[in-house]
Amino acid sequence: MATPHNLLLLIDGYNIIGNWTSLKKTRDRHGLEQARRELVESLVNYIAHSGYQAQVVFDSQYRKTPSSLEKYSPNLSIYFTAWAQTADTYIEKVCASFFHQTSPAPPRLIVATSDRDQRLTVVGYGAEWMSAQHLANEINLSTHQVRRKQRPRKRSQGRFLFNCLDAKSQARLARWQQGTN
């Protein structure tokens, strides 16, 4: 079985933005830059918690610029395609070349997109597919698990219900036990 260390999660950035309600609202109100920032912020903790390598891919959005790669953390990078290259073509190239790598454990590649044609293509190359909604659910679950682990635990003061009551209720219960109100 593949470990997180030989797993690459490729994320079709604008497809995810277009499929998550919260990111669509941000995009429509504040623009693509803010929506990209929110997507990356939501991914940072998820990627750190999962241990995956992840790359978010964005089209160059009609800017005549070369491709660029930005590292946000040791496991998360953002790739902007070059002029005239789409995120889809970049993802397809990665899928085509990924399985030619030689390593002791077989690599695992997951592509997160809700583009049906892209799904068929990446699965055809042997990659796994994850819908935008599934990625959102995974991130929410991871966030919930991290918060639950960080939540301070209440110290049990014994196995009796009496010990769980506040001081006023304990006093009232003691009076009842003594037959006084």
Side-chain angles (χ1 to χ4, degrees):
M1 177 166 187
T3 64
H5 301 294
N6 65 349
L7 183 144
L8 175 61
L9 175 61
L10 272 180
I11 301 159
D12 187 344
Y14 290 132
N15 181 273
I16 300 299
I17 289 171
N19 279 285
W20 287 5
T21 304
S22 62
L23 294 178
K24 270 196 292 195
K25 287 179 184 176
T26 298
R27 178 198 64 200
D28 295 345
R29 289 183 187 148
H30 306 288
L32 277 175
E33 180 70 28
Q34 183 62 32
R36 281 192 303 259
R37 201 169 311 140
E38 285 183 24
L39 173 59
V40 171
E41 287 172 8
S42 68
L43 288 167
V44 167
N45 289 330
Y46 170 68
I47 297 304
H49 185 252
S50 69
Y52 299 156
Q53 290 290 321
Q55 188 174 81
V56 184
V57 183
F58 292 109
D59 296 315
S60 62
Q61 286 298 304
Y62 311 110
R63 294 179 296 178
K64 291 190 176 186
T65 57
S67 63
S68 64
L69 181 69
E70 301 173 10
K71 285 284 219 181
Y72 276 82
S73 73
N75 294 347
L76 178 64
S77 60
I78 310 303
Y79 183 80
F80 289 92
T81 64
W83 166 250
Q85 183 184 32
T86 66
D88 290 355
T89 58
Y90 175 80
I91 290 169
E92 289 167 19
K93 282 183 179 181
V94 171
C95 289
S97 67
F98 194 75
F99 293 101
H100 293 91
Q101 298 176 14
T102 57
S103 59
R108 190 170 162 210
L109 176 61
I110 300 173
V111 177
T113 183
S114 286
D115 180 315
R116 183 180 182 278
D117 292 336
Q118 188 70 5
R119 172 188 177 188
L120 295 172
T121 301
V122 300
V123 169
Y125 278 116
E128 297 173 46
W129 167 77
M130 178 186 295
S131 71
Q133 188 57 51
H134 185 83
L135 179 61
N137 293 344
E138 289 286 317
I139 291 171
N140 289 336
L141 178 63
S142 176
T143 301
H144 178 73
Q145 288 172 343
V146 168
R147 284 184 183 149
R148 193 173 66 223
K149 285 180 185 177
Q150 293 173 342
R151 191 179 311 150
R153 297 180 190 255
K154 293 182 180 179
R155 263 188 96 174
S156 175
Q157 297 173 345
R159 63 184 197 131
F160 298 106
L161 177 61
F162 179 84
N163 295 323
C164 297
L165 299 174
D166 60 45
K168 185 177 177 181
S169 298
Q170 284 179 348
R172 180 180 290 164
L173 186 58
R175 286 193 306 268
W176 284 347
Q177 287 175 333
Q178 296 169 359
T180 60
N181 285 351

